[in-house]
């Protein structure tokens, strides 16, 4: 059985998913790719917007989420932390 | 006044240039330890888990200890410490003793922190007891180099076992490097036993320490370079 993801792992997964789509993505892509329920996803997206990691953009009646510089930076730092955690076995 | 035989610190059994090489190794220890502690600090800042806090403390203390040791080493080799001893002004000897104490106690507290990262002790509210007794032992190791090194070797032996178990979990090469690095540090402290019989073990110990630091540096470069296992 897969281990439950921590909050930070979920945040990283969401941000990484947006990054993989050139930093701009529709909510449905995050919903399918993030492996989260709609309610939980909504909660995380609000938190990420409030934290300045992503921005919400409306274009021709469609909603997009865009990764900010802070979001990109978080991805890089979290990757390093993950590498360190793996390397040192902590 | 502490009746320490400081003359032993100033006698050179090996060519003077070798002690500068040792200072270089200690300086590498400063750089590596502070670099690792910085990542630990960033991890704790984001993730707020206790294991990252103790990891940060461990390598920070190790870096500060190496810094104190290399400063002391350079002062001695440049002749400034001898000036203080010859003058017999106790107040001037305080910085030397202070630096040496910082090195001794800092190293042992660093190893306790790192052992706490890997063991279940971190979950206990009794961790402060380990720090306290380590501090007590550290105060008394000033007179006994062997006691300091043996206590450090004991702490490191636990870290080596824990990191080896972690390596066995998924055979991650970086974890093997980490385990070997700590094993080198363990041998560095353990070989003090042999140094009293064969002075050449001073060279061997420091060479092993250099290897350990290079292994940690290799792991760091993989982290910063973003290379996978």
């Amino acid at each position: 059985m897969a281990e439950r993801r921590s909050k930070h792992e979920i945040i990283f997964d969401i941000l990484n998913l947006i990054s993989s789509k050139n930093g701009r993505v529709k909510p449905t892509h995050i919903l399918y790719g993030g492996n989260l329920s709609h309610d939980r996803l909504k909660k995380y997206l609000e938190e990420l917007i409030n934290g300045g990691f992503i921005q919400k953009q409306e274009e021709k009646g469609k909603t997009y989420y865009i990764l900010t510089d802070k979001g990109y930076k978080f991805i890089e730092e979290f990757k390093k932390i993950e590498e360190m955690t793996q390397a040192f076995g902590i | 006044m502490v009746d320490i035989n400081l003359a032993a610190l100033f006698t050179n059994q090996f060519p003077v240039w070798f002690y500068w090489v040792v200072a270089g190794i200690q300086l590498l220890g400063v750089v590596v330890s502070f670099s690792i502690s910085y990542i630990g600090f960033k991890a704790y800042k984001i993730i707020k888990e206790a294991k990252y806090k103790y990891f940060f403390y461990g390598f920070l203390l190790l870096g500060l200890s190496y810094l104190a040791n290399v400063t002391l080493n350079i002062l001695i080799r440049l002749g400034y410490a001898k000036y203080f001893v010859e003058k017999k002004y106790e107040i001037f000897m305080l910085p030397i003793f202070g630096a040496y104490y910082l090195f001794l106690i800092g190293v042992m507290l660093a190893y306790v922190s790192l052992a706490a990262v890997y063991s279940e002790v971190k979950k206990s509210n009794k961790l402060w007891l380990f720090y306290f007794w380590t501090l007590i032992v550290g105060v008394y190791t000033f007179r006994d180099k062997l006691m300091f090194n043996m206590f450090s070797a004991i702490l490191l032996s636990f870290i080596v076992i824990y990191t080896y178990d972690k390596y066995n979990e998924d055979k991650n090469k970086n974890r093997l490097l980490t385990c070997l690095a700590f094993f080198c540090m363990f041998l560095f402290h353990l070989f003090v036993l042999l140094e009293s019989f064969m002075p050449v073990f001073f060279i061997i110990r420091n060479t092993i320490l250099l290897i350990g630091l290079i292994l940690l540096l290799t792991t760091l470069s993989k982290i910063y370079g973003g290379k996978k296992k």
Side-chain angles (χ1 to χ4, degrees), chain B residues 39-54:
Chain B
I39 305 178
F41 171 70
K42 280 168 79 171
Y44 181 61
K45 209 170 137 188
I46 291 173
I47 299 175
K48 300 266 189 285
E49 278 182 38
K51 62 181 181 181
Y52 294 114
K53 180 173 71 175
Y54 293 121

Side-chain angles (χ1 to χ4, degrees), chain B residues 21-219:
Chain B
V21 170
V22 170
I25 295 171
Q26 290 164 348
L27 205 56
L28 179 63
V30 172
V31 170
V32 169
S33 300
F34 280 151
S35 299
I36 296 173
S37 76
Y38 178 63
I39 305 178
F41 171 70
K42 280 168 79 171
Y44 181 61
K45 209 170 137 188
I46 291 173
I47 299 175
K48 300 266 189 285
E49 278 182 38
K51 62 181 181 181
Y52 294 114
K53 180 173 71 175
Y54 293 121
F55 185 81
F56 159 61
Y57 284 161
F59 279 102
L60 179 67
L61 282 166
L62 204 57
L64 288 171
S65 305
Y66 276 125
L67 189 61
N69 201 16
V70 73
T71 306
L72 189 61
N73 196 2
I74 290 171
L75 280 177
I76 291 170
R77 300 306 151 200
L78 288 176
Y80 291 112
K82 208 169 181 175
Y83 167 81
F84 295 139
V85 173
E86 285 171 355
K87 282 285 180 181
K88 293 193 170 84
Y89 291 133
E90 292 184 16
I91 191 76
F92 290 119
M93 297 185 72
L94 278 176
I96 301 174
F97 290 133
Y100 196 49
Y101 257 123
L102 178 61
F103 164 65
L104 293 175
I105 294 169
V107 165
M108 288 193 288
L109 288 177
Y111 294 152
V112 168
S113 284
L114 291 174
V117 170
Y118 293 105
S119 71
E120 296 299 300
V121 172
K122 66 178 179 288
K123 292 183 183 172
S124 162
N125 59 1
K126 306 298 186 291
L127 183 59
W128 62 270
L129 204 55
F130 285 92
Y131 281 121
F132 173 71
W133 285 116
T134 304
L135 195 64
I136 297 295
V137 169
V139 167
Y140 283 97
T141 55
F142 191 95
R143 290 187 179 210
D144 192 338
K145 179 180 164 185
L146 192 63
M147 188 176 168
F148 158 68
N149 282 289
M150 287 304 103
F151 193 74
S152 297
I154 289 168
L155 289 170
L156 275 163
S157 65
F158 287 109
I159 297 171
V160 170
I161 290 168
Y162 290 136
T163 50
Y164 182 70
D165 284 344
K166 288 290 177 186
Y167 163 67
N168 266 336
E169 273 174 21
D170 67 356
K171 304 291 183 196
N172 182 320
K173 280 184 188 166
N174 285 338
R175 288 188 184 182
L176 178 62
L177 288 180
T178 304
C179 176
L180 289 173
F182 282 124
F183 184 63
C184 287
M185 289 158 84
F186 163 74
L187 290 178
F188 169 74
H189 289 288
L190 186 70
F191 281 174
V192 164
L193 281 172
L194 299 170
E195 195 182 313
S196 36
F197 301 113
M198 282 186 283
V200 73
F201 267 92
F202 178 71
I203 299 176
I204 294 171
R205 285 176 65 215
N206 280 286
T207 306
I208 289 173
L209 177 64
L210 177 62
I211 293 168
L213 291 172
I214 289 171
L215 289 172
L216 283 177
L217 197 61
T218 306
T219 306

